[in-house]
Structures are given as structure tokens and as C-alpha cells.
Amino acid sequence: MSDVISFRKAQFLISAPTLTQCPEDSGCEVAFAGRSNAGKSSAINALTDNAKLARTSKTPGRTQLLNFFSLSEQCRLVDLPGYGFAKVAKSLKKEWDKHLAEYLQQRKSLKGLVLLMDIRHPLQEYDWQMIRWAYQSEMPVHLLLTKADKFNHGPAKAILLKVQRELSMAGFSDNISLQTFSSLKKTGLDELEAVLRNWLSAQQDSHNPLI
């Protein structure tokens, strides 16, 4: 059923501040997570070929809500609040973290997590936290090393292999895939699309969502 998924048909659905205000927890969705300066919104816009779909900003931390985009009646993409960088009050940041944790831990329709990291600063503390959570939840993770256009192919590949080794040494190589990506040059789009189609298509007719 992968041929029914067209990322270019993505449309904004709703922004939700809390889990209870999210769309009905049915069907399947893939969430994009990462530090506030990792390029989540830019990656979603490149994937959907719509520069205005997900809000981008030169001020990291502007994505403060759970933003849902529909691909079909039963499939969605989700742009999660950025973490670890936004210059906001600690009380507000704590509230964001709480809602993010609730979504990740309780959302039954979540079938995979795309974790974005700036290729120049991979595997920061919050990234490891997300990886550990996903591993414990048996949630598939696809690491996107963004802004790969900052390097030539050789150095970018070397960083990819280094990240791969660190994940393996930490015992997190299972259920995790990774690639380099550039929203600016639109390199790595085919690989990302293939991963997302695999996750979403495999789950459209499934009545056994991942726990």
C-alpha cells in the first residue's frame, strides 16, 4: 500500500499544546524530533516539497506545539517541539518537556521516530535521552544527520560512520537506521521517503500498534 502515500499531498491538520488536544489516536503517524536548531521544519518542508508547510524560523525554539500534518485519512506526520536550546523560562520549558514525554509514551498511533541532529553536533545529551526512550519502547528510530551540505561527501560519511560506531558501542544499533541529509540541497530525500513509507505502509492495516 506504499503507493497511496504521497508526501507532496501533506496538509496542515492541527497544532496541539497537549496530548488530549491531539487528533484521534488512530491510524499511523511518524514524529520528527530534535534540538531546536536541528532543522526539523526544514526537513518536513523538503520532504513534502512545500516550503510553507512547517513553520521555520531563524530563532530556535519557535516550534512550541505538536504540529500535525495529514498525508491521508489515516496517516500523519508530526513536528514535535524542539528541545534543549530554546531561550524560555525554565517553568515553560518544563511544561513543554512534560507534554512531549506524554505524547511519546502514550501515543498508540506513533509508529516511528525521525530524530534529527545537526551533523556538526551529533549525539547531544537530549539525543541520547530520546534514543534510550525509543529503545526501551521498541520504537523504530531513523537518525537524520542534517545540514550535511556543510561538508564534502567524504567527511560527512566519516561522521556518519562515527555516529554508527557510538550507537553500536552503547548497545543501540538495533532498530535504529541513520543517514546524512540536506534540506538545502535536497540530498537524502529518497532514502528518507523509503524509511517513512516502510513504517507507514506496514502499519496501515495493522491492528497491533507498537507499545
Side-chain angles (χ1 to χ4, degrees):
M1 294 187 64
S2 61
D3 58 337
V4 305
I5 298 174
S6 174
F7 297 105
R8 285 162 182 78
K9 291 183 179 179
Q11 293 184 330
F12 174 75
L13 187 60
I14 192 174
S15 291
T18 66
L19 181 66
T20 57
Q21 292 168 283
C22 290
E24 181 182 350
D25 195 359
S26 63
C28 48
E29 60 196 34
V30 171
F32 286 66
R35 289 175 64 85
S36 300
N37 56 345
K40 289 187 294 88
S41 298
S42 295
I44 291 174
N45 289 346
L47 173 69
T48 58
D49 196 26
N50 184 345
K52 297 181 180 179
L53 185 66
R55 182 181 181 185
T56 60
S57 173
K58 292 182 179 179
T59 304
R62 291 298 290 273
T63 302
Q64 303 170 13
L65 304 170
L66 299 152
N67 296 306
F68 291 80
F69 306 95
S70 63
L71 298 175
S72 67
E73 191 173 332
Q74 288 295 309
C75 291
R76 297 171 295 276
L77 300 177
V78 190
D79 187 8
L80 300 179
Y83 54 75
F85 192 86
K87 295 179 180 179
V88 296
K90 286 185 178 180
S91 59
L92 180 57
K93 185 178 183 303
K94 187 175 181 180
E95 191 72 9
W96 290 359
D97 289 345
K98 174 178 175 286
H99 295 315
L100 178 59
E102 287 177 348
Y103 169 80
L104 293 170
Q105 292 166 5
Q106 300 178 34
R107 189 74 172 171
K108 296 289 193 296
S109 52
L110 179 60
K111 306 306 177 186
L113 183 69
V114 179
L115 182 56
L116 294 90
M117 300 181 291
D118 187 325
I119 193 169
R120 298 167 296 181
H121 312 289
L123 297 176
Q124 300 292 306
E125 180 183 350
Y126 268 95
D127 300 326
W128 281 115
Q129 184 175 321
M130 296 291 285
I131 289 168
R132 283 192 292 270
W133 168 83
Y135 183 82
Q136 292 166 359
S137 304
E138 298 182 354
M139 177 68 62
V141 176
H142 187 60
L143 299 185
L144 217 58
L145 297 177
T146 62
K147 308 181 185 181
D149 52 275
K150 302 292 185 182
F151 296 97
N152 291 327
H153 176 74
K157 180 70 172 179
I159 295 173
L160 178 75
L161 294 174
K162 183 176 183 291
V163 170
Q164 203 167 31
R165 284 195 301 271
E166 290 190 37
L167 290 170
S168 181
M169 290 174 63
F172 294 123
S173 55
D174 293 341
N175 234 26
I176 294 182
S177 53
L178 66 162
Q179 68 168 102
T180 56
F181 185 84
S182 170
S183 298
L184 182 65
K185 299 287 183 68
K186 296 194 174 181
T187 53
L189 273 175
D190 289 346
E191 189 174 347
L192 176 59
E193 284 187 12
V195 171
L196 299 186
R197 282 200 172 94
N198 181 50
W199 286 348
L200 294 170
S201 299
Q203 296 294 335
Q204 283 188 91
D205 298 318
S206 173
H207 298 289
N208 299 300
L210 295 172
I211 301 302

